[in-house]
Amino acid sequence: MKIKKIFMSCLLLAGVLSASAQEEYPKTVYDHNPYWYIQLQGGAQYTLGEIDFSDLISPNVQVAMGRQFTPVFGARLAVNAWQSKAGIEAGNTTYKWNWKYVAPGIDLTFNLSNLFCGFNPNRIFNFSVFGGLGANIGWDNQLNEINAAAAALYPKTVAATGASENTAYAWDGTKVRVFGRAGVAADFKVSDAVSLGLEVNANTLSDRYNSKKAGNWDWYFNALAGLKINLGKTYSTRTIEAPKVPEKVIERVIERVVEKPVPQQVVEPTRAVAEKKEVEDTKFRRDIFYLKPGKTWIDKSEYHKVKEVADYMKEHPNCTVEVTGYADRGTGNPKINNNLSQRRAQAVANMLIRNYGIKKNRIKVDFKGDTIQPFAKEIENRVAIAICD
């Protein structure tokens, strides 16, 4: 009795899971709209160096204007600015200097949440990565501090040559250097128009940026927080109604013609009409639907239709079946839809052969792409139609 209860519970659970897996109609579909946005951010910068971490922290701000072209891909013009720092330890003394800069750059952005989880404008959290190039324009470098550090560290060299090896890259005036940038960003939705964002980016440029000769690229890192404001409508909605399932074709029973002794001129025409009627009535049709765009494998809910075709062919060993695939014009393009329709028809043929042992020479596969639309509703034209004759 206990085993029976467990078995019945398993069956009930399987039924619930199966029911939950079915798509519910009508359903709302979200379509992405390209849109512009602006970002206002503030935070801190760490300029890579050899003195204490806290001595190399500077304030930082960033303003950006961008456009989201697709759910995944976008681009922005980001202007980062304020201050960078550097320094040298000389005995017990730390020499520090800073300079101002502004760094406009172009970034390409990639929304990984939409890439891997699908577009959903109601998602609270979105994770993105980005990378780009730009120009760092620096000025107001503190040469007095740099020269004092050089004199303290290398007094003989400075006395002899006027400069030290370590600070040979000290610069003055306004300098423009190309930089590369990469980073990650997390956005937390507040409304359709506003989200709060966190961003961390790494920037690299020539060894002369911090005035110290090191033989490697200089780096600075920014940690920013702020607002992202979307301009315009970011998405639109549409409702998909449940597809109208065509009425099941009911095979008509062919009545047996009973011949009676009648005059020759009456019997022959009657027999010819009966034979013609039998040929017409042997046609058998099933429509196997693919409700999701781009889908080419048969849904479990349509398996029984393929089995009915196979059963009919086994009952009528001389009949053949023609399987024709179609695609709807509302999605894709003619080349893609032509391929989809072929694969849909072939999927039905393969199932007849592999699952039910129908010989390949009894099956003809055809496909029409989106050149022919057998049904009025677009969604119903994602179909493979099997007709036995």
Side-chain angles (χ1 to χ4, degrees), residues 113-180:
S113 297
N114 286 338
L115 176 63
F116 294 110
C117 303
F119 175 61
N120 180 5
N122 297 319
R123 185 181 291 117
I124 299 298
F125 173 80
N126 280 279
F127 180 76
S128 303
V129 297
F130 60 87
L133 296 171
N136 182 294
I137 305 166
W139 72 94
D140 200 17
N141 199 17
Q142 296 178 330
L143 282 179
N144 291 336
E145 290 292 332
I146 300 172
N147 292 332
L153 282 171
Y154 311 100
K156 293 182 179 180
T157 304
V158 172
T161 64
S164 73
E165 178 68 17
N166 190 254
T167 57
Y169 287 164
W171 55 271
D172 194 11
T174 300
K175 299 295 181 181
V176 180
R177 300 175 177 89
V178 175
F179 73 87

Side-chain angles (χ1 to χ4, degrees), residues 196-212:
L196 300 176
L198 299 174
E199 177 179 324
V200 177
N201 60 60
N203 304 262
T204 185
L205 61 175
S206 76
D207 187 31
R208 295 178 178 271
Y209 182 64
N210 64 3
S211 297
K212 294 168 61 179

